[in-house]
Amino acid sequence: MSDLDEQFEQAQADVKTLSSKPSNDDLLTLYALFKQGTAGEASGAKKPGRFDLVGRAKYDAWTKVAGTSKDDAKARYVAEVDRLLGR
């Protein structure tokens, strides 16, 4: 396991320790970076219907990071968690 993978796993644990819930924008950013870092491009995922507002927002956030490599997405996820934790 690489150092980046270890940092990514630690960030996943650390994000659960936040004292307050992040904003919806922050949550969508975390979701998108997590999905891009673990699953890759959203192009293979089925686009949610127009009445699934939450699913659609998540999908749209994920497609905004299209083209980002898995490693870059993981690094950005770690940086985002660090920012939310005030590090």
Side-chain angles (χ1 to χ4, degrees):
M1 182 179 292
S2 74
D3 188 44
L4 178 59
D5 288 333
E6 291 173 9
Q7 291 174 0
F8 184 64
E9 286 185 14
Q10 184 61 49
Q12 291 173 57
D14 290 347
V15 77
K16 295 175 185 173
T17 67
L18 290 171
S19 58
S20 61
K21 183 180 176 184
S23 70
N24 285 339
D25 287 339
D26 287 335
L27 288 172
L28 286 172
T29 299
L30 289 171
Y31 174 83
L33 293 172
F34 176 82
K35 290 296 281 185
Q36 189 73 14
T38 56
E41 297 294 328
S43 60
K46 184 178 177 192
K47 188 174 186 175
R50 65 180 176 191
F51 296 112
D52 181 0
L53 300 178
V54 173
R56 190 66 172 262
K58 287 179 168 182
Y59 182 87
D60 289 345
W62 187 8
T63 60
K64 286 180 183 175
V65 295
T68 305
S69 73
K70 285 186 174 187
D71 284 346
D72 285 346
K74 288 177 181 181
R76 287 177 54 193
Y77 181 92
V78 170
E80 188 69 17
V81 170
D82 284 347
R83 183 188 66 81
L84 291 170
L85 290 169
R87 294 186 198 164

